[in-house]
Amino acid sequence: MKPKIIVCGLGRTGYTIFCLLKHQGAAVTGISDRPMSSEYQRDIIVGELRSPNTLSHAGILTAQTLVLTSNDDSLNLAVLTYARLMNPRIKIINRLFNETLGKRLDETLPDHVSMSVSALAAPIFSFAALGDKAIGQLRLYNQTWPIQEVVIDEAHPWLGMPLSELWDNPSRMLIYYLPARDEIDLVSAVVNGKRLQIGDHLIMGSQPTTRLKKRYWWRKIIKPIANLRQYQHHVQSVAFVILLLLLMIGFSTVLYVSTNFKVSLVNAFYFSVGMITGAGGQEDVIEKASDEIKVYTAIMMIVGAGVIGICYALLNDFILGSRFKQFWDAARVPTRNHYIVCGLGGIGMEIVRQLYKQGHDVVVVEANAKNRFLHTARSLGVPVIIEDARIAGSLKAANLERADAILVTTSDDMVNVEIALTAKAISPKINLVVRSQDPQFGKASQEVFEFEAVLCASDLATHTFTAAALGGKILGNGMTDDLLWVAVATLITPNHPFCKRTVKDTAMEADYVPLYIERNNCTVHSWNLLEILLLPGDVLYLTIPATKLEQLWRNTNDSVEQFINNGKTEREKSLEF
């Protein structure tokens, strides 16, 4: 009997997850807070999401998994509480915007998996900006690998290449194979020496590369000079008042020396500074001066007090307020080969983290000076320009003309389109990645305005929620021709159906693709992987259709999470070929 799954909150994201689970043949029930028209109407319960009666009607007492998909963290937390009271053993997949809260819940509650749409979608946005048209992501070797679909055509360089050559390359992970003519699994195709033909589809992961930054001291000096025009408005008022103050002191010094040749230049300068600032000193300079000079001195004392007050106020606002941060950020804006992120929301911040970890220069353009992620971005050393990205001058201040790509990630589709069109007007050939809340509008705008990529964050994350609901420790996932496949790690136990059998035999039988095996702090990959005998304690990393996940644990309740909890944490891995 298939485990029962409940999807609570059938908004756009929740309903997509519900339909994906239905397409994979799962026994799933949906809970909606309003009536809705659906082809699965009989499997949808309408009622208050947090009501125990609604949960009971949906079958919470016998369900194995509850997927919370509302965009309201407090509502998801309330439903979680009632669900655990009614069924303490139920596994919960929880959509949360507050990632810190999610981590605390994961640490506190057993069988609780928190997921963030921002964290799941951000790598795909990053890969798109880097030029990789990824359809998903895969977490391997402590790195996030982009997943791509390759279609073999007449001009493709891999046409006629044996699959075994791709299998032997450790920088690529073959995930799934869809032949154009006959039905054969990937492992059988590799073993039998099958060659790629026109129309074949390959799903594969590519190992990401981290760009090493070379820091030169002279570049730190040149960068502020090169950006002088961009940040001059931040210091214009301060510079004007200081210049006026210096002119007053200089003019007064020259005046006192020229009217009394017995006064030295130093004494005249000292008296001028003291007179204008109110500190006093060297009053004998004007004791014998004419009445005109004394009147001038009195006027300068009054004017100087005002100028000094204004100068102190501006300096205080510049240094202690936000202007100095803006000035410093503008001075550190990269001059070329960088990435611009417009909109520092949850997704924008995750994209900044992804690009920063990969060694790329990033600059943020954010309109809200009180944005909660400003401090986080600046703590990474990422310059933030507090301006409206819809204004051409703001994008020029970020050196858009010499940037590698711009990512527009605000939560307003109209604002995103306006920013994207502004960027395209400034730099028509810029690599442009745009976020869209509405997938249909996103596809239409990409075609009409010729944007390089328009991505919907919630759509990118739904496959991961679906895979997690079906079970296992999910390392990655994707969709190919309506087939949901997942990458999982499974612990081989004495009762595991694959125990004491070769990887090749089990892969051909269960239609999975082995990625690598972790054994004794090492990994086994490539041809050695197919002939290895699976033993208790091995951890097998593989991709498999979601509909066949039950084969991995049909004879055992053990999972890779037990393996991790027993102290074998993530570690640096070396490849054994």
Side-chain angles (χ1 to χ4, degrees):
M1 181 178 178
K2 295 181 179 179
K4 184 173 182 179
I5 303 169
I6 298 176
V7 179
C8 186
L10 297 187
R12 184 171 62 231
T13 301
Y15 185 70
T16 303
I17 295 170
F18 174 78
C19 292
L20 283 172
L21 288 169
K22 278 291 186 182
H23 291 163
Q24 305 309 312
V28 57
T29 299
I31 302 178
S32 175
D33 60 354
R34 60 181 64 88
M36 57 188 305
S37 177
S38 171
E39 59 180 309
Y40 306 111
Q41 193 71 45
R42 64 179 184 176
D43 293 319
I44 296 176
I45 307 298
V46 178
E48 176 66 29
L49 300 184
R50 71 182 77 192
S51 170
N53 291 334
T54 304
L55 293 173
S56 179
H57 191 196
I60 195 71
L61 298 177
T62 57
Q64 281 77 36
T65 305
L66 172 65
V67 185
L68 303 174
T69 62
S70 169
N71 57 8
D72 185 343
D73 285 1
S74 60
L75 178 59
N76 287 341
L77 189 59
V79 178
L80 178 156
T81 304
Y82 287 117
R84 273 296 168 89
L85 288 175
M86 301 174 72
N87 185 351
R89 295 184 178 180
I90 192 169
K91 179 180 179 180
I92 295 177
I93 312 297
N94 197 352
R95 176 189 180 185
L96 289 173
F97 290 87
N98 189 333
E99 294 184 41
T100 303
L101 174 61
K103 291 178 182 178
R104 298 293 181 267
L105 290 173
D106 290 344
E107 295 169 356
T108 305
L109 300 176
D111 292 324
H112 180 279
V113 180
S114 62
M115 290 187 171
S116 165
V117 171
S118 300
L120 294 172
I124 311 300
F125 279 83
S126 302
F127 294 142
L130 295 171
D132 297 323
K133 294 184 178 179
I135 62 172
Q137 56 176 307
L138 187 63
R139 185 71 183 175
L140 294 175
Y141 301 122
N142 295 324
Q143 289 182 303
T144 302
W145 295 40
I147 300 172
Q148 299 164 313
E149 182 175 11
V150 178
V151 181
I152 306 300
D153 55 25
E154 296 179 355
H156 202 284
W158 292 353
L159 180 62
M161 179 185 294
L163 277 167
S164 56
E165 291 188 18
L166 296 176
W167 179 267
D168 221 16
N169 189 339
S171 64
R172 296 193 184 101
M173 283 288 183
L174 294 182
I175 295 172
Y176 213 75
Y177 172 56
L178 292 173
R181 298 179 182 176
D182 43 76
E183 294 186 4
I184 185 172
D185 63 89
L186 177 59
V187 174
S188 299
V190 170
V191 172
N192 295 330
K194 184 173 177 58
R195 295 177 179 271
L196 291 171
Q197 301 176 358
I198 295 176
D200 286 354
H201 287 237
L202 274 176
I203 309 299
M204 59 193 308
S206 303
Q207 187 173 22
T209 57
T210 301
R211 188 168 71 178
L212 297 177
K213 292 183 180 180
K214 294 183 178 180
R215 303 289 186 182
Y216 299 101
W217 63 269
W218 52 270
R219 285 187 178 178
K220 294 182 180 180
I221 299 175
I222 291 177
K223 187 183 291 185
I225 298 174
N227 291 327
L228 183 61
R229 291 183 179 179
Q230 308 293 351
Y231 60 80
Q232 62 181 357
H233 64 281
H234 292 297
V235 295
Q236 191 170 16
S237 57
V238 177
F240 175 77
V241 174
I242 292 177
L243 179 61
L244 177 62
L245 185 62
L246 293 176
L247 288 175
M248 290 172 60
I249 294 173
F251 179 78
S252 298
T253 301
V254 173
L255 180 63
Y256 293 133
V257 171
S258 61
T259 56
N260 189 352
F261 295 106
K262 295 182 179 180
V263 177
S264 67
L265 182 63
V266 174
N267 287 338
F269 174 74
Y270 183 76
F271 174 73
S272 298
V273 172
M275 170 196 63
I276 293 174
T277 60
Q282 289 292 335
E283 285 80 1
D284 55 332
V285 171
I286 62 165
E287 283 183 356
K288 297 180 181 180
S290 63
D291 293 340
E292 292 80 0
I293 296 298
K294 290 180 178 179
V295 171
Y296 167 80
T297 301
I299 294 173
M300 291 308 296
M301 286 181 179
I302 297 172
V303 174
V307 173
I308 288 295
I310 295 172
C311 185
Y312 283 157
L314 290 174
L315 285 174
N316 181 68
D317 177 66
F318 180 75
I319 296 174
L320 300 181
S322 61
R323 290 182 180 272
F324 182 74
K325 291 181 181 179
Q326 296 176 30
F327 166 80
W328 183 242
D329 282 336
R332 294 184 298 119
V333 170
T335 54
R336 60 174 57 86
N337 304 126
H338 56 286
Y339 295 85
I340 302 172
V341 178
C342 299
L344 196 62
I347 292 179
M349 188 63 241
E350 289 294 334
I351 293 172
V352 169
R353 287 195 183 101
Q354 289 285 333
L355 293 172
Y356 176 81
K357 287 179 181 178
Q358 296 179 37
H360 299 284
D361 289 326
V362 186
V363 58
V364 172
V365 182
E366 168 59 41
N368 184 8
K370 297 182 179 180
N371 185 289
R372 63 192 179 110
F373 293 112
L374 287 180
H375 176 73
T376 305
R378 284 171 171 151
S379 66
L380 297 175
V382 174
V384 181
I385 298 176
I386 307 298
E387 298 286 352
D388 189 342
R390 291 174 291 183
I391 301 173
S394 302
L395 297 180
K396 290 180 180 179
N399 294 323
L400 175 67
E401 297 92 335
R402 295 185 294 276
D404 282 348
I406 177 172
L407 300 100
V408 187
T409 62
T410 77
S411 57
D412 190 320
D413 285 358
M414 293 300 102
V415 172
N416 288 344
V417 170
E418 187 175 354
I419 295 173
L421 292 176
T422 302
K424 211 168 182 62
I426 298 173
S427 181
K429 296 182 179 180
I430 190 72
N431 184 14
L432 196 57
V433 181
V434 184
R435 174 190 177 188
S436 175
Q437 300 279 46
D438 185 345
Q440 294 180 347
F441 174 75
K443 292 179 181 178
S445 62
Q446 181 175 6
E447 184 174 348
V448 171
F449 301 120
E450 298 182 350
F451 298 147
E452 278 66 21
V454 180
L455 305 174
C456 177
S458 57
D459 274 15
L460 295 174
T462 51
H463 298 153
T464 305
F465 278 88
T466 305
L470 292 171
K473 180 176 177 60
I474 306 302
L475 304 174
N477 59 87
M479 285 286 292
T480 306
D481 291 342
D482 293 329
L483 173 68
L484 174 65
W485 56 263
V486 295
V488 299
T490 181
L491 172 66
I492 304 300
T493 64
N495 295 326
H496 198 286
F498 298 164
C499 186
K500 296 184 179 179
R501 299 179 62 190
T502 63
V503 172
K504 180 173 67 175
D505 291 341
T506 57
M508 291 180 177
E509 177 184 309
D511 190 23
Y512 73 82
V513 179
L515 301 177
Y516 62 91
I517 290 177
E518 190 177 67
R519 174 184 288 178
N520 298 327
N521 297 331
C522 294
T523 58
V524 183
H525 182 260
S526 298
W527 287 105
N528 292 339
L529 174 62
L530 296 179
E531 301 299 333
I532 199 168
L533 192 69
L534 292 169
L535 300 176
D538 291 347
V539 178
L540 175 62
Y541 293 78
L542 56 92
T543 59
I544 189 171
T547 54
K548 300 183 179 181
L549 273 172
E550 293 179 0
Q551 299 182 65
L552 300 182
W553 41 77
R554 61 172 179 254
N555 293 332
T556 176
N557 291 325
D558 296 322
S559 69
V560 73
E561 293 178 3
Q562 292 175 308
F563 169 75
I564 294 175
N565 292 334
N566 285 336
K568 219 172 179 183
T569 57
E570 282 188 308
R571 52 195 175 273
E572 294 295 324
K573 302 176 178 73
S574 59
L575 287 175
E576 178 184 313
F577 299 102

